[in-house]
Amino acid sequence: MSPLISMIVPVHNAAPYLRRCIDSLLAQSFSDYEIVLIDDGSTDGSADICNEYLSKDSRVKVIRQSNKGVSTARNRGMEVANGQYLSFIDADDWVEPDFLAVFVEEIDKRGGIVDCMIQGFIEHENQTKQASYNYYPSAKEIGADLYRLEENWLISYVWNKLFRKDVIDRWNISYDAQIPIGEDYLFCMAFMGKCTSLTVLPHIGYHYVFPSTSRKHFSFSAWNRRLDSFDKLLPTLSYIPKYDVERFRAREFKIGLYVLRIAYNEQITYANRMAYLRKLRSWGRNNHAIHLRKYEKDFRLLGVCVLYLPLRWCDFLLYSARSLRHIW
């Protein structure tokens, strides 16, 4: 008989903290689940730890692949998972014993079906992110509150959620392996676009540790793919109110200003710089949710440059100033 929940854990060189993670999963007060460990080409002994737990508990499943990245690992996990619901856990994090139980209680409360459930979480500096209990029984009601939930950092991540696998399979939702940053945010937003019921739970059961990749430098091309993917995704979220669409776009515009630094430091070609500036201007023009006066000084200057100067002048100024630390 298939388990109710599959917990998918990508593993890549996670030996120092992997046991803490798996032990917390095996300590769940709810027991009808499987743990799918995806060993993504580890070279530090993580594979041996996975084998150790495979031999200890029949709920543990281990899949091995060459190092292809977290998105490919999660996609592989979804392929082999047998659960009706999916949870994505990072190998350097851990969960409270009732992490799954509070989700299951909500599933039972809703007659066995709810497309997505969200919990709060604790960051490694003991800062908490959570919201009051709320149930959204339709896409329209989800859309009306989606931006507020994202402002509270409850949408961005996959690991504080439980996803109904039937929705993922029906709409062929997956992680984009070509995008190394923000891939979980894109997955969540794509899922929300097909989600017809959502519960926000006030419980805090997930402990999140900032990964070393949070300090990793990502190239302009990687960031640009991330921005373009959201640009294509946003129009499909037709249930979001018009002004909230502008607010989502305003967030992307500010991220785009940050990426300008990378574009000019990498000295991409003039044609690519101009194409990128035109894209940012198209996102920013006539967007009533953008309030440059509220931006930090550096972002405010960049925003004025992109939105109001002739783009050739803008490019000249940014190219000339790329070595000035107080601007970049």
Side-chain angles (χ1 to χ4, degrees):
M1 185 175 177
S2 298
L4 181 65
I5 298 170
S6 294
M7 307 176 77
I8 298 171
V9 187
V11 178
H12 178 68
N13 292 345
Y17 29 73
L18 184 56
R19 284 190 175 86
R20 178 183 64 182
C21 175
I22 301 175
D23 285 342
S24 75
L25 303 184
L26 291 174
Q28 292 299 292
S29 58
F30 174 80
S31 60
D32 186 17
Y33 62 89
E34 65 176 1
I35 300 172
V36 183
L37 303 174
I38 308 296
D39 177 23
D40 187 38
S42 295
T43 58
D44 70 338
S46 292
D48 293 334
I49 296 173
C50 291
N51 285 337
E52 173 189 326
Y53 283 92
L54 177 66
S55 65
K56 285 181 178 179
D57 198 300
S58 61
R59 292 172 296 180
V60 176
K61 179 186 298 184
V62 177
I63 305 295
R64 292 188 173 79
Q65 63 180 33
S66 58
N67 180 221
K68 299 178 181 178
V70 65
S71 291
T72 300
R74 286 171 173 161
N75 286 338
R76 179 63 177 143
M78 290 192 292
E79 289 175 2
V80 302
N82 295 312
Q84 299 174 44
Y85 288 88
L86 304 181
S87 173
F88 299 96
I89 309 295
D90 284 354
D92 52 349
D93 299 339
W94 74 98
V95 298
E96 293 292 330
D98 59 353
F99 175 69
L100 291 184
V102 295
F103 284 140
V104 174
E105 182 179 346
E106 180 65 17
I107 293 172
D108 293 340
K109 181 179 178 180
R110 300 297 168 188
I113 295 178
V114 57
D115 287 348
C116 185
M117 287 154 282
I118 303 174
Q119 282 191 37
F121 59 92
I122 303 174
E123 294 181 344
H124 75 300
E125 295 175 340
N126 292 323
Q127 297 180 1
T128 61
K129 305 290 185 183
Q130 68 180 132
S132 302
Y133 178 87
N134 214 331
Y135 175 64
Y136 304 89
S138 70
K140 183 178 180 180
E141 290 178 85
I142 295 170
D145 216 21
L146 190 62
Y147 186 81
R148 183 188 66 82
L149 294 173
E150 170 55 20
E151 276 191 313
N152 290 327
W153 300 97
L154 294 177
I155 300 298
S156 302
Y157 309 111
V158 294
W159 32 252
N160 63 328
K161 300 174 179 65
L162 200 66
F163 300 91
R164 190 176 170 212
K165 190 172 187 291
D166 180 62
V167 176
I168 292 172
D169 293 342
R170 189 187 324 142
W171 297 102
N172 196 29
I173 301 170
S174 64
Y175 294 87
D176 189 336
Q178 301 304 311
I179 299 176
I181 183 169
E183 73 289 339
D184 47 353
Y185 175 55
L186 295 172
F187 178 90
C188 289
M189 290 296 288
F191 188 92
M192 295 301 163
K194 305 302 181 184
C195 186
T196 58
S197 58
L198 169 70
T199 301
V200 177
L201 300 163
H203 185 73
I204 298 176
Y206 194 95
H207 294 262
Y208 169 60
V209 179
F210 283 114
S212 59
T213 53
S214 66
R215 294 178 290 274
K216 182 179 177 181
H217 171 78
F218 292 97
S219 67
F220 168 75
S221 61
W223 274 108
N224 201 28
R225 287 196 300 271
R226 150 68 181 83
L227 291 166
D228 285 344
S229 292
F230 190 83
D231 185 42
K232 294 176 182 177
L233 176 62
L234 191 56
T236 69
L237 309 178
S238 57
Y239 56 87
I240 299 178
K242 183 177 183 297
Y243 184 63
D244 281 351
V245 171
E246 289 188 340
R247 292 203 287 177
F248 274 111
R249 177 67 71 214
R251 285 166 59 96
E252 295 296 296
F253 176 75
K254 191 171 183 181
I255 294 172
L257 294 180
Y258 164 78
V259 177
L260 270 177
R261 175 183 62 181
I262 300 171
Y264 283 86
N265 282 345
E266 288 186 4
Q267 300 188 45
I268 64 174
T269 66
Y270 172 76
N272 286 338
R273 296 197 308 266
M274 291 300 292
Y276 185 68
L277 289 170
R278 283 193 292 271
K279 175 169 65 180
L280 288 187
R281 177 165 289 188
S282 71
W283 289 355
R285 282 284 176 90
N286 303 315
N287 187 332
H288 303 294
I290 292 177
H291 304 289
L292 294 180
R293 65 184 180 277
K294 296 182 179 180
Y295 284 11
E296 301 88 338
K297 181 180 177 181
D298 291 355
F299 281 102
R300 186 163 63 247
L301 291 173
L302 288 173
V304 168
C305 182
V306 169
L307 292 180
Y308 300 112
L309 290 182
L311 289 183
R312 289 178 182 272
W313 294 10
C314 180
D315 175 70
F316 174 77
L317 289 174
L318 296 179
Y319 190 82
S320 301
R322 69 188 186 278
S323 63
L324 301 181
R325 293 183 181 274
H326 73 279
I327 292 179
W328 298 111

